[in-house]
Amino acid sequence: MQNVVPVQLRQVRDFGQIITDTFQFLKQNRGPLFRAIAVICLPIGLIAGFLMGKTVGDIQSLAFGMGAGDPDTMLRGLITNFIPMIIGYLLVIVAYVLLISVVHEYIRAYSLGEHHMITTKDLWDRARGQAGTYFGTGFLSGLLIMVGFILCILPGFYPLTVLSLVFICHAIERTGATGSMARSNNLVKDRFWETLGLILIIGLINMVISYVIMLPFTIVGFVVGFNNVLGAVDGSGGGVTWLGTFTAIQMAVQMAVGMLIHPISSVAMGLKYFTLVEEKEGAGLRQKLEGFEQA
């Protein structure tokens, strides 16, 4: 059997090599990485998806069932479902902050050669310690990106691209929130279009994978929704009673799928970071030379 060569992070890669090595990295490290995601992040994401889906489904049931045409019933339904929806959104934030922390702390451990014996508890301790910084980094970056897209679509793509390396910058260099934003901008500004292209292609890959997995739920959801509309029209209310449960399960599964494919984009942008660092600074070459000198 031919031995599989571990993915080397600190090297220059072209566009195709980044895509190929992203999936190779995930394949080689699927055990410790996805085990940690399943234990630390996935339960929170499933609960969040279920709460939000149940809320949406219940509101739809009211709209097509007993609450149709009755503003008071609809208002009571919205008030009743307000707290579960808020809790669901808060849990989504917690789940994704932990997810970003776990994935990037694993990449950091891999870059330092500490991944061979790393456990889920180790990743939990590292992710928990850095979660606040990852949250702050994501909040500030997301705010700038949101403002850009509010102003116009094209201005939105600029901060999305130049800030695309903020998490991996902090993971590897411990630059903090504002330092990571400045570092990411400095690395990407001369490689804007190729970085934007990578973001779009990885986003497309994630979207296709998610669509294929969720297709059965989409079909069933369309049928259920169509039956509910017909039931509301003819007064039978057919299918309305279990719409909330179905929507809750559907959104929980969708949340799980989104979290499990999220590492694709994180690893791809991580490899882009190492490529840009090597191109501009030759860090990997300097490390090898220092190693030879020490030997």
Side-chain angles (χ1 to χ4, degrees):
M1 181 182 295
Q2 185 177 4
N3 293 328
V4 178
V5 179
V7 173
Q8 300 297 316
L9 296 180
R10 298 183 183 277
Q11 67 181 58
V12 176
R13 293 176 169 85
D14 60 26
F15 190 92
Q17 289 173 324
I18 289 178
I19 301 295
T20 301
D21 285 354
T22 292
F23 288 96
Q24 185 68 13
F25 180 91
L26 292 172
K27 180 180 178 181
Q28 292 177 358
N29 297 274
R30 62 185 181 275
L33 178 56
F34 285 98
R35 182 165 54 247
I37 292 173
V39 172
I40 298 171
C41 313
L42 209 54
I44 303 174
L46 287 171
I47 295 172
F50 188 89
L51 287 174
M52 292 191 298
K54 187 70 166 60
T55 301
V56 171
D58 288 344
I59 292 174
Q60 289 177 344
S61 296
L62 284 172
F64 291 115
M66 71 176 96
D70 186 350
D72 291 336
T73 302
M74 283 297 300
L75 180 60
R76 286 196 298 271
L78 290 173
I79 294 174
T80 302
N81 288 284
F82 178 75
I83 293 179
M85 177 65 80
I86 294 299
I87 294 174
Y89 275 118
L90 291 176
L91 289 177
V92 167
I93 295 173
V94 172
Y96 267 90
V97 168
L98 288 176
L99 177 63
I100 291 168
S101 302
V102 166
V103 175
H104 286 88
E105 287 305 298
Y106 185 84
I107 297 175
R108 174 182 172 84
Y110 188 96
S111 71
L112 296 174
E114 301 172 352
H115 62 291
H116 297 289
M117 300 299 293
I118 199 165
T119 64
T120 298
K121 184 181 182 305
D122 293 333
L123 277 175
W124 163 245
D125 291 337
R126 299 184 186 202
R128 181 180 56 183
Q130 296 296 323
T133 304
Y134 283 114
F135 172 76
T137 303
F139 178 79
L140 292 176
S141 301
L143 189 61
L144 290 176
I145 294 169
M146 183 179 66
V147 169
F149 278 109
I150 289 174
L151 294 175
C152 186
I153 295 297
L154 291 180
F157 279 110
Y158 181 78
L160 175 67
T161 304
V162 298
L163 298 177
S164 60
L165 305 182
V166 290
F167 294 128
I168 189 65
C169 285
H170 175 70
I172 303 302
E173 303 180 19
R174 288 296 190 255
T175 43
T178 56
S180 296
M181 294 167 67
R183 176 65 165 158
S184 177
N185 177 68
N186 184 58
L187 288 172
V188 172
K189 63 181 180 182
D190 297 328
R191 300 289 192 276
F192 178 84
W193 293 110
E194 63 187 61
T195 305
L196 176 59
L198 178 62
I199 293 171
L200 295 177
I201 292 300
I202 291 298
L204 181 61
I205 291 173
N206 283 356
M207 185 174 65
V208 170
I209 294 173
S210 178
Y211 178 80
V212 170
I213 296 175
M214 294 302 300
L215 184 59
F217 287 91
T218 302
I219 295 174
V220 174
F222 174 80
V223 173
V224 171
F226 185 73
N227 288 335
N228 284 334
V229 172
L230 291 180
V233 171
D234 61 24
S236 64
V240 172
T241 55
W242 53 277
L243 177 61
T245 301
F246 172 78
T247 308
I249 295 173
Q250 181 184 26
M251 193 164 288
V253 173
Q254 186 171 355
M255 185 69 65
V257 171
M259 296 183 75
L260 291 174
I261 65 177
H262 179 81
I264 297 175
S265 57
S266 296
V267 173
M269 299 318 298
L271 295 179
K272 184 62 179 176
Y273 160 84
F274 286 109
T275 293
L276 294 176
V277 169
E278 292 300 310
E279 286 180 346
K280 296 187 174 187
E281 301 170 2
L285 178 60
R286 286 203 303 272
Q287 284 186 352
K288 291 179 181 178
L289 293 175
E290 290 173 0
F292 286 135
E293 291 175 357
Q294 292 175 359

